[in-house]
Amino acid sequence: MMRAESLGMSGVTSPASDARVTDGDAPLLSTRVMDAEGVVLVECTGRVPSFNAQAAAHFGIPVPLHIEHARLPGCEWVRADGTPLPPDESPLARALAGEAVDASVWNVLRPDGTRIALRCTAVPVRGADGQVAAALLRTHALDTLPVAVLDASRLLAEAGALLGTSVDAEARLEPLLKLLVPSLGDGALLVLRGPGGAGQEALRVAASLHADPGRHALLRELLTRYPLEPLVPGGLPGAFVSGAVGRLPLLSEEHVAALALDAEHARLMRELGPHGCLSVPLGARGNVLGALLLLRSNGPRAFGAEEEHFLTELAHRTALYLENARLYREAREAVRQRDEFLGIASHELKTPLTPLSLKVQLLQKQVVVLAREGKEVPTERVAEALDVVQRQVRRLSGLVDNLLDVSRITAGRLRLELEELDLASVAAEILYRFSPAAAQAGTELGLEAPVPVVGRWDRLRLEQVVTNLVSNALKYGAGQPVIVGVEAQGSLARLTVKDHGIGIAPDDLARIFERFERAVSDRHYGGLGLGLYITRQIVEAFGGTVRAVSTPGQGATFILELPRGDIPEEWLSAHAAPGPTQGE
């Protein structure tokens, strides 16, 4: 166990705790003396149990939780002439090696390219066994830095510590605004763009804050009753539209009159009071995720260039945290889907193997017994067993084919060999193949295709699409009639498959075409959840679309539309249905 008390460690803060250091009613760091002591404690394993806000300001970095080879992230110890020191000669590395470093001046090149002179002491911290367990580094800045730089370093360090302690970055957005209000502004908003685009419905206020409690309640009410609209002229600044920094010197009475949707809207804006606004985009990896808006009342000065630079940097870091959190959620969801799929796949692959194995074993025993008795094996018994074997082999083959198709689609290796086909004939052939299974289930199959509908498609893939849709209708059709319709609409061919079964819930209509998605329990309905995903991928490769409409309990209709491709002009007009051939 390390002894920290003897080294004066009782006031050191941990990265897991609040990185903002206060002394009673003392002012913020920007009005303090810069040579307040920075304290860093690093274990030999690289873990950083303590790294206070002054140290973060000195080194210009967020509070790290772990470091490698005694190197602080993005920082480099340099000589007076700017040349780098060997890594093992830094005071932190020497203390971790067991050497006590007396107070002396060291130069540090920080991540932002600035260089700072620090008076440092470093001592090894030994455990109960006498071995070096950690190193304690104390720093004092010798350079006099502008107040704005000190504020920016502190706030960025605190923001990094705040966002870096949680994988759910959005849960930390309101505490993030507390770093800005009231030190930089009277109020702040963090608005995120949704997946729907740039319309009103695509924006949501992820966090909002005002220094005045009464105006905070007004701001919340205003945002709830009148959602933000980025495309209204004179409304939100250009951060959402062009990704540019926006300024609004003052929300004047003219602005209120122009922006208010009604009298109540105008009243809330007036009660909130006149505010100027500085907005910066939340940009990460080339995407604008939203905007950070800082509000300031009429009294104080306008926003300056240094504040704009700082807010832009803070917004960029916040956007990266949000983007990383999204990627993490997606990765976690992908792992969940993979594990669920592997469980379903193993069950589905094992299901046909069990009767297949039992039937083969039974046939083998019968053949052995009859051979011993000198009797011939009955042909009908062998034919029955082989029929079961063939059905299960076909089922296994279909499951494996689906897995291979997903692999080809993912790798972009889905190839199409186009030829001139009649969609009505293809549908009729598929229904003929399903007729024995439909008759066994008591399901009536119907085809409504009065005329040929010719186009250029890949026969095997087109048959696969129709097969998937008909098979799906039979599976969920509850024994009710299944009707397939084929018609031409100019340069498009349309195929519909309608059943009268259990139907699909509205929330499931879009996701059933995704990989591994199912709208029903796999306990009651088999399959890998790949059929409709493969269908959509093939249809989109043809340049077409597939969708479903349904009312739960009243069946579902799948609608497939395909471009007919480069075919003779005369085929684009409806043909009369062919009559019976003479002599038949």
Side-chain angles (χ1 to χ4, degrees):
M1 177 178 180
M2 293 185 294
R3 297 186 177 271
E5 294 82 356
S6 62
L7 298 172
M9 293 284 293
S10 59
V12 176
T13 58
S14 166
S17 67
D18 187 4
R20 179 186 287 254
V21 180
T22 59
D23 295 331
D25 296 326
L28 294 175
L29 183 61
S30 60
T31 58
R32 292 184 186 177
V33 179
M34 179 55 183
D35 66 357
E37 186 177 63
V39 180
V40 177
L41 182 66
V42 179
E43 295 180 353
C44 289
T45 59
R47 194 174 75 89
V48 184
S50 297
F51 197 104
N52 72 354
Q54 282 79 9
H58 289 168
F59 291 102
I61 60 174
V63 177
L65 299 180
H66 191 275
I67 65 173
E68 298 289 342
H69 309 298
R71 299 190 64 174
L72 297 172
C75 296
E76 190 168 14
W77 299 88
V78 296
R79 300 183 179 92
D81 61 0
T83 57
L85 276 178
D88 58 352
E89 292 185 14
S90 73
L92 190 56
R94 288 165 61 180
L96 285 171
E99 178 185 352
V101 180
D102 294 332
S104 56
V105 178
W106 299 79
N107 291 287
V108 176
L109 183 64
R110 303 190 299 183
D112 62 0
T114 60
R115 194 168 75 176
I116 186 171
L118 299 174
R119 181 175 295 279
C120 303
T121 61
V123 294
V125 180
R126 301 184 183 275
D129 58 359
Q131 300 297 314
V132 176
L136 175 65
L137 176 70
R138 296 179 182 275
T139 62
H140 293 264
L142 300 182
D143 296 337
T144 302
L145 297 179
V147 170
V149 174
L150 304 186
D151 261 346
S153 298
R154 174 183 63 80
L155 289 173
L156 290 175
E158 292 187 9
L162 182 67
L163 293 172
T165 57
S166 174
V167 296
D168 184 8
E170 288 199 31
R172 313 300 294 169
L173 294 181
E174 188 161 324
L176 178 70
L177 296 187
K178 292 180 180 179
L179 299 179
L180 306 178
V181 177
S183 58
L184 292 180
D186 299 297
L189 304 176
L190 206 153
V191 185
L192 297 181
R193 189 197 299 275
Q200 170 182 326
E201 72 286 351
L203 295 184
R204 62 184 178 89
V205 178
S208 62
L209 184 65
H210 200 285
D212 180 84
R215 290 184 175 181
H216 177 71
L218 277 173
L219 181 62
R220 290 286 180 91
E221 182 182 358
L222 179 66
L223 295 172
T224 301
R225 296 177 61 179
Y226 300 94
L228 299 175
E229 299 184 34
L231 300 183
V232 173
L236 277 180
F240 294 98
V241 181
S242 62
V245 174
R247 290 173 181 270
L248 184 64
L250 186 68
L251 186 64
S252 63
E253 181 60 33
E254 289 76 13
H255 281 105
V256 171
L259 295 176
L261 300 177
D262 51 39
E264 180 63 13
H265 192 192
R267 182 190 68 80
L268 289 172
M269 284 194 286
R270 290 190 184 100
E271 289 190 15
L272 186 61
H275 283 77
C277 176
L278 172 64
S279 70
V280 294
L282 292 171
R285 301 183 176 96
N287 297 320
V288 177
L289 308 182
L292 177 60
L293 293 84
L294 192 61
L295 309 178
R296 184 172 285 171
S297 300
N298 188 23
R301 59 186 172 83
F303 293 106
E306 290 179 347
E307 291 162 315
E308 177 184 319
H309 176 74
F310 162 72
L311 204 63
T312 300
E313 177 62 23
L314 178 62
H316 174 65
R317 296 189 185 193
T318 303
L320 285 176
Y321 279 114
L322 291 171
E323 183 71 1
N324 289 338
R326 180 187 66 80
L327 294 174
Y328 174 77
R329 290 193 302 271
E330 290 180 355
R332 188 167 56 184
E333 176 61 19
V335 171
R336 184 198 65 78
Q337 287 187 352
R338 180 204 64 188
D339 292 343
E340 181 180 344
F341 166 71
L342 290 175
I344 294 173
S346 61
H347 170 75
E348 288 296 320
L349 291 171
K350 189 175 180 180
T351 298
L353 283 175
T354 301
L356 178 61
S357 177
L358 290 175
K359 204 65 177 178
V360 170
Q361 291 177 22
L362 179 61
L363 180 61
Q364 184 180 25
K365 289 180 181 179
Q366 291 174 343
V367 169
V368 170
V369 170
L370 291 174
R372 287 175 181 173
E373 296 175 356
K375 299 179 181 178
E376 293 184 357
V377 179
T379 304
E380 63 277 4
R381 188 174 298 174
V382 174
E384 178 192 353
L386 291 179
D387 183 59
V388 172
V389 169
Q390 191 174 28
R391 284 202 308 271
Q392 302 307 325
V393 167
R394 280 199 301 267
R395 183 174 178 183
L396 273 174
S397 179
L399 293 171
V400 173
D401 285 343
N402 279 344
L403 292 173
L404 290 175
D405 278 340
V406 170
S407 175
R408 293 187 188 102
I409 290 168
T410 303
R413 292 186 286 106
L414 188 65
R415 297 288 183 264
L416 300 177
E417 297 182 4
L418 302 181
E419 59 179 296
E420 201 169 279
L421 301 172
D422 176 15
L423 181 58
S425 298
V426 171
E429 184 176 342
I430 299 302
L431 289 181
Y432 176 76
R433 296 177 191 173
F434 275 103
S435 57
Q440 188 174 1
T443 299
E444 179 185 345
L445 295 178
L447 176 63
E448 297 177 353
V451 298
V453 179
V454 175
R456 288 184 58 79
W457 303 296
D458 182 299
R459 175 177 289 276
L460 290 178
R461 293 302 180 185
L462 185 61
E463 290 180 351
Q464 186 177 3
V465 166
V466 179
T467 297
N468 283 344
L469 294 179
V470 174
S471 173
N472 198 66
L474 289 174
K475 180 187 294 187
Y476 303 114
Q480 300 300 312
V482 172
I483 307 299
V484 177
V486 179
E487 60 180 337
Q489 292 188 335
S491 61
L492 288 179
R494 171 180 286 189
L495 179 138
T496 58
V497 179
K498 180 176 179 58
D499 66 65
H500 301 78
I502 61 175
I504 306 168
D507 292 342
D508 295 327
L509 284 174
R511 71 178 184 87
I512 58 174
F513 291 98
E514 298 300 325
R515 185 166 47 179
F516 310 141
E517 290 288 351
R518 309 161 62 88
V520 294
S521 169
D522 57 285
R523 288 188 173 186
H524 301 93
Y525 297 92
L528 298 176
L530 294 175
L532 292 179
Y533 168 76
I534 293 171
T535 295
R536 179 172 67 86
Q537 295 296 323
I538 294 174
V539 169
E540 290 179 356
F542 282 139
T545 61
V546 60
R547 56 190 169 88
V549 293
S550 175
T551 300
Q554 299 182 25
T557 300
F558 285 80
I559 303 167
L560 169 66
E561 292 182 338
L562 296 174
R564 300 172 69 181
D566 185 16
I567 59 173
E569 185 70 26
E570 58 267 21
W571 286 107
L572 296 180
S573 58
H575 293 359
T581 303
Q582 293 293 329
E584 288 186 355

